[in-house]
């Protein structure tokens, strides 16, 4: 590698040109949103922010086409529900590679560098569902890449959650792979080592804070304010370094000392929990940027770190089973607008983020609770439950951005979320006797709470590759009829 030791100026040049390093910061581009920005708009954001690497969770054709001829390094993903198919059939693997990798490289000049086979397939919550199929899927995709003549250009990897390893003594030196998955993990690591591919791991200090009320808050950040963890004379001032070195110890113990690691996901959410806020997110992500741009690495892995921020844009349709914060990981809001100042250390002399441009919004109107409606109206509770069940109310609750709203504000927020998600159709604001459409913005004057107006939907599949204006969602009428029946 040509970047073992860099000063900041050299590092920024290296990051921008990508001539030798291959390291630096990338972003995860997720698409679980009711109203995603057009791919061309997002790609423009990537380029204007100097982001040279992007990780995708599938191989969306329109996104890959938009990334063509940009030089942006791409990691495409194979979802877990496809592992059985490509792992069980060499023909299926070859077909997937031909359609989603080879075609885009040759026809669209997309700089695809990695295929992520699965996404955290060994999570404990999956109860071993993908344990036996992940390695065959890796093997088949690797063979398909070689057969297509792109095996040296495109590498396979497996993004894994940090729960695949643990420490026996609560220090990095005690790191080893989880006993219940040790055998399949070592087989995967050996395979990746044999084909000269990296291991990808997702590290989330926020989750540790979220799940453990006794977790030392300062240890999640990079400010050096926490009491260091002394592991036999090696000092760890933040959880990220300790976590990554726990994996390094696990690899070393099993004979893979210098194995390359990509940090596939790392970030901090801005809403949905008392610790998921803009202040903490800015502090964490800016600290991470400084940590990475300094090129220092971890005690066991000095040098630049290859990492992908999670994530680029908020996604209002992500599952909230892990927590309400899941829909708020973006460094940009759903509409590509900036949440907080963040210097990515890329190409901008000012260091400021550049928001999405030419975003088209729906009309300036909101659905709110009628001033004349009573809070004890029997229609209120089921209406709010219905709206939140089908829209997004994760900004409501203790410690969230809209946590200080009164009862009427909460109800209005729920109604408006459903109304906006359904493209401001009048029928989506007909909660019996308790709702109304207004042109007066109900957003509070103080704080970070927003009553958003949704962006206009984008319908490439309908033959329109630009902003297409409003298009009714066919199911909304049926849903409202169901609502009226229930109530």
């Amino acid at each position: 590698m040509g970047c073992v030791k860099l000063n900041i100026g050299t590092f920024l040049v290296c990051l921008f040109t990508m001539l030798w390093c291959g390291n630096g910061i990338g972003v995860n581009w997720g698409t679980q949103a009711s109203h995603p920005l057009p791919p061309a708009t997002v790609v423009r954001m990537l380029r204007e922010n100097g982001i040279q690497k992007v990780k995708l969770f599938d191989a969306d054709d329109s996104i890959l086409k938009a990334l063509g001829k940009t030089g942006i390094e791409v990691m495409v993903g194979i979802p877990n529900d496809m592992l059985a198919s490509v792992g069980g059939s060499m023909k299926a693997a070859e077909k997937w590679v031909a359609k989603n990798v080879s075609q885009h490289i040759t026809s669209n000049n997309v700089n695809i560098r990695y295929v992520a086979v699965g996404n955290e397939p060994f999570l404990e919550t999956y109860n071993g569902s993908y344990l036996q199929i992940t390695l065959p899927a890796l093997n088949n995709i690797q063979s398909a890449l070689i057969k297509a003549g792109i095996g040296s250009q495109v590498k396979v990897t497996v993004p894994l959650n940090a729960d695949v390893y643990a420490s026996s003594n609560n220090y990095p030196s005690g790191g080893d792979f989880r006993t219940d998955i040790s055998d399949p993990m070592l087989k995967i690591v050996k395979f990746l080592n044999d084909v000269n591919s990296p291991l990808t791991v997702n590290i989330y200090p926020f989750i540790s804070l979220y799940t453990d009320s006794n977790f030392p808050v300062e240890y999640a950040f990079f400010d050096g304010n926490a009491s260091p963890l002394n592991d036999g004379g090696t000092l760890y001032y933040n959880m990220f370094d300790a976590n990554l070195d726990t994996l390094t110890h696990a690899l070393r113990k099993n004979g893979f000392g210098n194995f390359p690691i990509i940090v596939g996901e790392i970030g901090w959410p801005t809403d949905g929990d008392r610790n998921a806020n803009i202040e903490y997110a800015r502090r964490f992500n800016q600290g991470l940027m400084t940590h990475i741009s300094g090129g220092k690495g971890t005690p066991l892995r000095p040098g630049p770190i290859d990492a992908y921020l999670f994530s680029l844009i908020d996604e209002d349709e992500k599952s909230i089973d892990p927590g309400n914060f899941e829909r708020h990981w973006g460094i940009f809001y759903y509409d590509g607008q900036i949440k907080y100042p963040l210097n990515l250390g890329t190409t901008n002399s000012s260091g400021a983020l550049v928001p999405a441009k030419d975003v088209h919004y729906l009309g300036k109107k909101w659905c709110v609770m009628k001033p004349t409606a009573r809070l004890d109206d029997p229609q209120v509770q089921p209406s709010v439950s219905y709206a939140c069940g089908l829209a997004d109310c994760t900004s409501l609750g203790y410690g969230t951005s809209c946590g200080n709203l009164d009862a009427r504000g909460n109800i209005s927020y729920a109604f408006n979320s459903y109304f906006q998600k359904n493209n401001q159709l009048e029928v989506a604001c007909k909660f019996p006797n308790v709702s109304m459409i207004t042109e007066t913005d109900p957003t509070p004057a103080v704080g970070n709470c927003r009553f958003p107006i949704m962006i206009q939907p984008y319908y490439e599949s309908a033959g329109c590759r630009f902003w297409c204006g409003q298009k009714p969602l066919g199911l909304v009428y049926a849903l409202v009829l169901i609502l009226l029946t229930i109530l």
Side-chain angles (χ1 to χ4, degrees):
M1 300 295 290
C3 304
V4 174
K5 188 174 182 180
L6 299 176
N7 61 35
I8 185 64
T10 305
F11 174 78
L12 294 181
V13 172
C14 183
L15 175 62
F16 176 56
T17 61
M18 304 298 287
L19 289 176
W20 298 285
C21 291
N23 293 297
I25 195 67
V27 294
N28 285 267
W29 177 357
T31 57
Q32 296 184 63
S34 63
H35 291 66
L37 289 165
T41 301
V42 180
V43 169
R44 182 179 178 183
M45 286 175 63
L46 294 173
R47 300 184 76 174
E48 292 186 344
N49 284 286
I51 296 168
Q52 290 293 307
K53 300 191 303 181
V54 65
K55 178 170 166 280
L56 308 174
F57 293 90
D58 53 21
D60 183 275
D61 188 69
S62 61
I63 289 176
L64 287 170
K65 285 180 179 176
L67 286 164
K69 301 178 182 178
T70 63
I72 294 173
E73 182 181 302
V74 181
M75 181 187 293
V76 296
I78 299 178
N80 290 336
D81 59 11
M82 292 186 64
L83 293 179
S85 173
V86 298
S89 166
M90 190 63 219
K91 185 176 181 180
E94 290 174 357
K95 184 177 180 181
W96 190 92
V97 167
K99 177 184 178 183
N100 300 297
V101 183
S102 300
Q103 177 181 323
H104 287 288
I105 290 175
T106 57
S107 301
N108 302 319
N109 197 19
V110 182
N111 185 20
I112 298 175
R113 300 294 300 277
Y114 297 101
V115 174
V117 182
N119 183 47
E120 300 186 336
F122 291 175
L123 270 179
E124 289 187 276
T125 52
Y126 291 144
N127 296 316
S129 300
Y130 305 108
L131 277 181
Q132 303 307 317
I133 198 61
T134 301
L135 181 57
L138 261 177
N139 196 4
N140 285 354
I141 292 297
Q142 171 69 15
S143 297
L145 291 170
I146 293 172
K147 185 174 181 179
I150 53 177
S152 60
Q153 173 185 347
V154 184
K155 299 295 184 180
V156 292
T157 186
V158 183
L160 297 165
N161 189 278
D163 74 350
V164 300
Y165 51 91
S167 173
S168 59
N169 61 7
N170 294 320
Y171 293 94
S173 59
D176 206 346
F177 293 112
R178 236 170 55 211
T179 54
D180 61 313
I181 60 169
S182 180
D183 183 58
M185 269 302 308
L186 290 178
K187 287 178 179 178
I188 283 176
V189 171
K190 183 181 185 306
F191 175 84
L192 293 174
N193 185 67
D194 290 344
V195 299
N196 195 29
S197 290
L199 183 68
T200 301
V201 62
N202 301 335
I203 298 175
Y204 284 111
F206 168 80
I207 300 296
S208 296
L209 182 59
Y210 177 75
T211 56
D212 182 3
S213 59
N214 294 318
F215 184 85
V217 175
E218 291 299 321
Y219 197 56
F221 299 98
F222 297 90
D223 306 330
N225 296 333
S227 299
L229 184 70
N230 189 335
D231 187 4
T234 301
L235 299 180
Y236 288 92
Y237 291 89
N238 62 80
M239 181 193 165
F240 172 77
D241 285 356
N243 191 296
L244 194 55
D245 277 2
T246 302
L247 173 57
T248 302
H249 274 288
L251 289 166
R252 287 185 176 182
K253 284 178 183 175
N254 291 284
F256 301 97
N258 297 313
F259 199 84
I261 298 173
I262 293 173
V263 179
E265 298 178 18
I266 183 168
W268 199 282
T270 56
D271 211 349
D273 179 72
R274 64 187 180 90
N275 289 314
N277 55 64
I278 284 177
E279 178 187 354
Y280 276 6
R282 184 207 58 76
R283 182 182 173 194
F284 179 85
N285 284 332
Q286 192 60 72
L288 175 66
M289 296 302 98
T290 303
H291 192 60
I292 289 178
S293 66
K296 182 179 179 180
T298 71
L300 293 187
R301 286 181 171 268
I305 296 170
D306 197 354
Y308 292 80
L309 261 182
F310 192 86
S311 65
L312 185 64
I313 303 170
D314 282 350
E315 301 169 73
D316 67 346
E317 290 195 338
K318 284 199 71 181
S319 169
I320 58 173
D321 287 345
N324 287 343
F325 55 84
E326 279 294 335
R327 295 176 177 174
H328 303 278
W329 287 99
I331 57 175
F332 293 95
Y333 288 108
Y334 69 99
D335 54 358
Q337 302 309 299
I338 298 168
K339 290 183 177 180
Y340 51 86
L342 180 64
N343 186 341
L344 294 177
T346 53
T347 61
N348 300 322
S349 58
S350 67
L353 291 177
V354 180
K357 293 183 172 63
D358 300 323
V359 179
H360 298 252
Y361 296 86
L362 299 177
K364 290 188 176 181
K365 52 185 178 180
W366 298 260
C367 180
V368 298
M369 184 181 187
K370 278 185 178 179
T372 55
R374 302 191 326 271
L375 289 174
D376 61 355
D377 189 306
Q379 306 289 3
V380 168
Q381 191 278 327
S383 295
V384 170
S385 295
Y386 181 85
C388 288
L390 292 169
D392 180 23
C393 294
T394 55
S395 292
L396 299 177
Y398 173 71
T400 61
S401 64
C402 296
N404 291 326
L405 293 176
D406 60 16
R408 287 184 174 274
N410 284 325
I411 296 164
S412 292
Y413 189 97
F415 289 172
N416 185 64
S417 179
Y418 181 80
F419 178 63
Q420 300 294 340
K421 189 170 183 178
N422 288 290
N423 297 332
Q424 297 185 353
L425 294 172
E426 287 190 19
V427 70
C429 189
K430 291 192 179 297
F431 297 97
N433 303 317
V434 294
S435 64
M436 60 173 277
I437 295 174
T438 179
E439 294 183 358
T440 301
D441 189 350
T443 297
V446 180
N448 295 319
C449 183
R450 306 171 76 200
F451 278 65
I453 294 175
M454 192 52 68
I455 59 178
Q456 290 182 10
Y458 170 79
Y459 298 102
E460 184 181 37
S461 60
C464 176
R465 296 190 63 181
F466 301 95
W467 295 101
C468 303
Q470 294 190 53
K471 182 175 180 180
L473 303 181
L475 292 178
V476 71
Y477 296 102
L479 293 173
V480 173
L481 286 174
I482 293 171
L483 169 65
L484 295 174
T485 302
I486 293 174
L487 297 179

